[in-house]
Amino acid sequence: MSVTVTTAVYEGPFDLLLNLILKEEVELYEVSLSSIVDAYLVELERLEALDLEVATEFLLIAAILVELKTRRLLPGRDGVDADDEFGLWEERDLLLARLLECKTFKDAAVVLRRLAAEASRSWPRRAGLEERFLGMAPDLLDGVTADDLRAACLRGLAPRPSVHVETEHIAPIRASVADAVAELVDEIPRSGTITFRHLTRGLVDRIEIVVRFLAVLELYKQGVVEVDQLGAFGDIHVGWRPGAEPGDVDLIDAYEG
Amino acid sequence: MPDDQMPDERMVEVRRAVEAILMVAVDPVPPNLLAQLLEVSTATVEAQCAALADGYEADGRGFALVRVGGGYRFQSHPDQAPWVERFVLEGQSSRLTAAALETLAIVAYKQPISRAQVSAIRGVDAEGVMRTLQQRGWIDELSRDPGPGNAILYGTTREFLERMGLDSAADLPPLGDFVPGPEVVEALERGLMADPGTPADQPIEVPIEASTGDGLVGGEPAEAPEG
Amino acid sequence: MPDDQMPDERMVEVRRAVEAILMVAVDPVPPNLLAQLLEVSTATVEAQCAALADGYEADGRGFALVRVGGGYRFQSHPDQAPWVERFVLEGQSSRLTAAALETLAIVAYKQPISRAQVSAIRGVDAEGVMRTLQQRGWIDELSRDPGPGNAILYGTTREFLERMGLDSAADLPPLGDFVPGPEVVEALERGLMADPGTPADQPIEVPIEASTGDGLVGGEPAEAPEG
């Protein structure tokens, strides 16, 4: 089954998923996950810049889908951890709730568009007072001093506060894989072998850690580092490959996956 | 004094004064302000405004008296839009993108709401869209969340109501009207089904048309981004 | 086509369109502009406007259609002046909005300055506020930019400076070692560029100030959240 999704612009993962499930009238389990990913990559290209927040949200959803799909495909569920099973259902219900909420507001937006279109056929009267009444309006300059003017001018000319600042606690971290690669190329050769845990010390946001990990994978792909993990959940050891030169590394401009 | 005991001359006086005041007002004038200025009851103001509005319509005037944004105002009659457009070159409102409208809907129904909450519902960062909406006067900062972080909480403005032709936010159609019907819920559930017991080859019938048409994702053509 | 040969429906159409356009016009509309928009002769426009004006008077409307300043406009009926005065005195708050004060201050400190530059600095269209500041006699047109576009340059009036107790704009308190925001620098450096006015092909910024009366007076706060 081919899924053609190149004509619509998706605003994030919910859009895409809603579209796949409803609009395209497909059984999600008949859609190969790679076509979901392909469709998404098309949208990312349209965005021109990789929005990590959108991308990670999508990956999260894709991960849930992969898991749901594997459960569906594998025969028998004996021995499945009950807690895992419960957690999966919980994730699924959460996703369902978000999709429903998303759909609700999409439909509400359509009504707003109609209301706005109807209202825009009329223009309000905004002519205001006739000249003869202007003089009797309250003296608005009453109490305004030259110093008030100075203060108002400074306010007016001040750099407009960036919206970023106001909500820093929730603003997305704009970590770049390219930056992380550059840092690792500086750090790993000096340390010899180092654990991933050590490489990410001091990082608070999960996104930053993910970006570090992608950078390690990038260096591994380029063959300049060796990666070793002794056991499941064990420390990941990253070492500079003997003979590799830091200068050999392509410092990528944008992470291409 | 109730309307029915008010002499006709007084009613005429109220009507004329309302016409004069609304002619110089820039924003919708609340009925209680008119009542206070004219020393009559709000009910009288509302009855006389309704009478005026009906009269203009019956006389086939090119303008209308409407109740919007919490008050009364004069505006051009909707059916005169083609002529007014010729005069008002700029066009009244730049169209909002689908993304902006969805964000606006979330703010309208969930106000007061923080940007982070809007982003969570939309699944994408809402910063850019919300800044645009604020610059255009559709939404504004209402207050600060008293909780940790003191996030700014947003809501819609009177300008929003005027542009929607609504008297108050309470006149928005109830959100419940848009909650997807059982068939959509079922379709989504089946789409996310993890139960191998359900046959996978059964086609999902989604009454897309039944669910308010192009409200579906991707149903509308992509709109040009606004400058 | 002379009036007496024009079908009645066409006359009604012209009258309704005139009513609609004059209702939304801020300044008096010249009859030849109406004639051009409605594709009729100026004589027809004048005849229809006269008929409308007579009709409003005969109906005892609280407003009037008058010919003033080279054009037609709606205004409050002169005999309703006492009610309008009441509205002016009691119906509005007498606080200068922060936005209006900032606009006034920017003109005072950065004069001569074009409307486009003020808009660029303020981030919203300054037309409404600047027109009202001009109506109040606080700012006025000083000159024309000699560069392309010949944008009108504004400055404060002598009366305004006197009100502030200043001999000239040079006597304003110095701004000090203040570094303006990049958008301000850019707006001023862009120099006295052609005043773009409001090109039809650009999205129109909704002047947020316009939502609070004449832009000078503090209006109501943003709509209270509901639900």
Side-chain angles (χ1 to χ4, degrees):
Chain A
M1 176 181 303
S2 73
V3 181
T4 312
V5 287
T6 48
T7 50
V9 174
Y10 296 107
E11 276 285 329
F14 300 144
D15 260 18
L16 183 64
L17 202 54
L18 264 179
N19 195 63
L20 282 173
I21 297 179
L22 297 181
K23 174 91 171 164
E24 300 290 329
E25 300 184 13
V26 295
E27 163 64 66
L28 197 64
Y29 295 97
E30 292 181 357
V31 182
S32 75
L33 282 167
S34 69
S35 31
I36 301 182
V37 172
D38 285 349
Y40 194 68
L41 290 179
V42 167
E43 294 310 317
L44 283 185
E45 267 172 35
R46 195 193 299 273
L47 290 174
E48 288 180 352
L50 177 68
D51 183 330
L52 268 182
E53 186 147 351
V54 177
T56 48
E57 182 83 47
F58 176 75
L59 286 175
L60 176 69
I61 288 174
I64 297 171
L65 290 178
V66 170
E67 187 156 12
L68 288 168
K69 185 167 180 169
T70 42
R71 304 257 168 154
R72 177 83 176 268
L73 293 176
L74 293 174
R77 284 179 292 167
D78 298 339
V80 172
D81 188 319
D83 283 349
D84 281 359
E85 184 83 332
F86 183 74
L88 183 63
W89 281 100
E90 209 172 45
E91 294 270 23
R92 195 207 67 139
D93 287 346
L94 206 59
L95 186 55
L96 180 62
R98 295 184 73 172
L99 285 174
L100 288 174
E101 191 170 43
C102 185
K103 170 110 177 73
T104 299
F105 285 110
K106 279 183 176 304
D107 289 348
V110 172
V111 172
L112 289 193
R113 182 190 291 288
R114 204 193 61 226
L115 286 174
E118 280 167 12
S120 73
R121 294 175 53 76
S122 291
W123 282 258
R125 177 166 179 84
R126 298 237 195 250
L129 289 175
E130 294 129 31
E131 301 76 18
R132 62 196 161 121
F133 298 110
L134 282 176
M136 46 172 311
D139 185 358
L140 295 177
L141 281 185
D142 208 25
V144 175
T145 66
D147 282 331
D148 292 336
L149 269 191
R150 175 180 178 278
C153 188
L154 290 176
R155 276 199 311 275
L157 297 180
R160 280 196 284 280
S162 156
V163 191
H164 277 292
V165 179
E166 295 160 345
T167 49
E168 215 162 32
H169 58 294
I170 53 127
I173 308 294
R174 300 289 171 193
S176 118
V177 176
D179 289 346
V181 165
E183 287 167 31
L184 293 181
V185 168
D186 175 60
E187 186 164 2
I188 302 177
R190 283 195 280 114
S191 318
T193 295
I194 190 170
T195 63
F196 185 69
R197 199 180 301 279
H198 198 67
L199 279 176
T200 54
R201 70 191 180 278
L203 298 185
V204 182
D205 280 280
R206 192 154 34 164
I207 273 293
E208 288 183 286
I209 298 170
V210 169
V211 165
R212 274 287 158 112
F213 188 72
L214 291 174
V216 169
L217 289 183
E218 177 66 28
L219 291 177
Y220 181 75
K221 207 168 78 181
Q222 294 193 26
V224 295
V225 299
E226 291 171 337
V227 177
D228 193 20
Q229 187 178 25
L230 293 176
F233 303 111
D235 270 335
I236 300 167
H237 295 270
V238 184
W240 199 254
R241 172 166 290 182
E245 288 296 324
D248 294 345
V249 176
D250 284 334
L251 292 177
I252 50 178
D253 290 331
Y255 185 63
E256 286 165 0
Chain B
M1 180 161 50
D3 273 11
D4 51 6
Q5 289 171 34
M6 195 177 275
D8 280 354
E9 314 87 72
R10 186 80 178 92
M11 304 270 233
V12 170
E13 194 188 5
V14 167
R15 273 207 289 269
R16 299 192 75 211
V18 165
E19 286 183 317
I21 290 171
L22 294 188
M23 201 53 84
V24 304
V26 176
D27 292 318
V29 184
N32 57 355
L33 173 58
L34 287 171
Q36 182 194 321
L37 295 172
L38 306 180
E39 293 166 13
V40 293
S41 72
T42 305
T44 299
V45 165
E46 290 180 336
Q48 295 308 315
C49 284
L52 281 172
D54 290 348
Y56 298 146
E57 190 66 35
D59 292 351
R61 296 285 166 205
F63 52 80
L65 193 159
V66 297
R67 174 138 185 187
V68 67
Y72 292 99
R73 79 170 187 199
F74 276 122
Q75 65 182 31
S76 60
H77 196 286
D79 69 14
Q80 295 301 302
W83 296 114
V84 178
E85 267 164 18
R86 288 189 175 196
F87 175 69
V88 189
L89 290 173
E90 310 100 54
Q92 149 133 323
S93 58
S94 36
R95 271 166 63 85
L96 292 176
T97 61
L101 270 170
E102 280 172 41
T103 305
L104 191 57
I106 293 169
V107 174
Y109 281 100
K110 294 275 189 179
Q111 57 187 312
I113 187 170
S114 73
R115 210 181 71 209
Q117 290 170 310
V118 175
S119 300
I121 292 175
R122 300 210 61 239
V124 290
D125 186 21
E127 172 183 353
V129 172
M130 286 185 70
R131 198 172 40 218
T132 307
L133 289 173
Q134 192 178 3
Q135 275 172 357
R136 300 204 172 187
W138 297 84
I139 68 173
D140 207 355
E141 300 172 10
L142 282 188
S143 57
R144 291 232 172 216
D145 185 358
N150 292 131
I152 297 171
L153 300 178
Y154 294 84
T156 51
T157 60
R158 195 192 55 213
E159 176 105 7
F160 162 81
L161 293 175
E162 284 194 59
R163 284 169 168 271
M164 289 290 154
L166 298 173
D167 192 31
S168 86
D171 293 337
L172 282 166
L175 193 58
D177 290 358
F178 306 113
V179 172
E183 71 286 350
V184 175
V185 177
E186 200 187 317
L188 286 174
E189 259 185 331
R190 212 180 305 167
L192 299 175
M193 191 91 69
D195 182 358
T198 308
D201 53 357
Q202 187 176 324
I204 299 179
E205 287 168 25
V206 183
I208 292 178
E209 288 74 23
S211 62
T212 42
D214 56 357
L216 277 180
V217 192
E220 293 167 279
E223 271 178 76
E226 297 174 61
Chain C
M1 180 162 54
D3 274 9
D4 50 8
Q5 288 172 32
M6 193 177 275
D8 280 354
E9 313 88 72
R10 186 79 179 97
M11 303 272 231
V12 170
E13 192 188 15
V14 168
R15 269 207 292 270
R16 299 193 75 211
V18 165
E19 284 183 318
I21 290 171
L22 293 186
M23 189 55 77
V24 306
V26 171
D27 298 314
V29 185
N32 57 355
L33 174 56
L34 284 171
Q36 190 189 324
L37 292 172
L38 305 180
E39 294 164 15
V40 293
S41 70
T42 306
T44 300
V45 166
E46 291 181 333
Q48 294 307 316
C49 285
L52 281 171
D54 290 348
Y56 298 143
E57 191 63 34
D59 291 350
R61 294 285 165 205
F63 51 80
L65 195 161
V66 297
R67 176 139 187 183
V68 62
Y72 291 99
R73 79 167 183 201
F74 277 119
Q75 64 180 38
S76 59
H77 195 287
D79 69 16
Q80 294 300 304
W83 294 117
V84 174
E85 283 169 17
R86 246 189 180 193
F87 172 67
V88 172
L89 291 175
E90 298 173 28
Q92 310 187 22
S93 115
S94 55
R95 187 171 49 85
L96 200 60
T97 60
L101 188 59
E102 284 170 24
T103 302
L104 181 57
I106 287 167
V107 173
Y109 275 92
K110 297 294 177 187
Q111 57 188 306
I113 188 168
S114 74
R115 207 183 75 205
Q117 287 174 312
V118 175
S119 298
I121 292 171
R122 303 272 306 119
V124 290
D125 185 14
E127 176 181 1
V129 172
M130 286 185 67
R131 192 177 52 230
T132 318
L133 292 173
Q134 193 178 0
Q135 278 178 348
R136 303 252 168 180
W138 299 336
I139 70 172
D140 208 353
E141 301 172 8
L142 284 187
S143 58
R144 290 246 170 202
D145 177 12
N150 295 128
I152 298 171
L153 301 178
Y154 292 85
T156 47
T157 60
R158 175 177 301 279
E159 299 90 275
F160 171 76
L161 292 172
E162 282 173 6
R163 286 271 343 241
M164 290 290 116
L166 305 169
D167 274 341
S168 79
D171 296 332
L172 283 163
L175 289 178
D177 301 330
F178 168 76
V179 183
E183 69 276 4
V184 172
V185 176
E186 193 199 330
L188 292 173
E189 269 178 0
R190 211 182 304 152
L192 308 172
M193 265 179 30
D195 187 333
T198 39
D201 58 346
Q202 270 181 24
I204 308 300
E205 293 281 356
V206 176
I208 294 174
E209 289 85 348
S211 64
T212 51
D214 58 6
L216 300 188
V217 188
E220 306 96 293
E223 200 68 17
E226 318 217 1

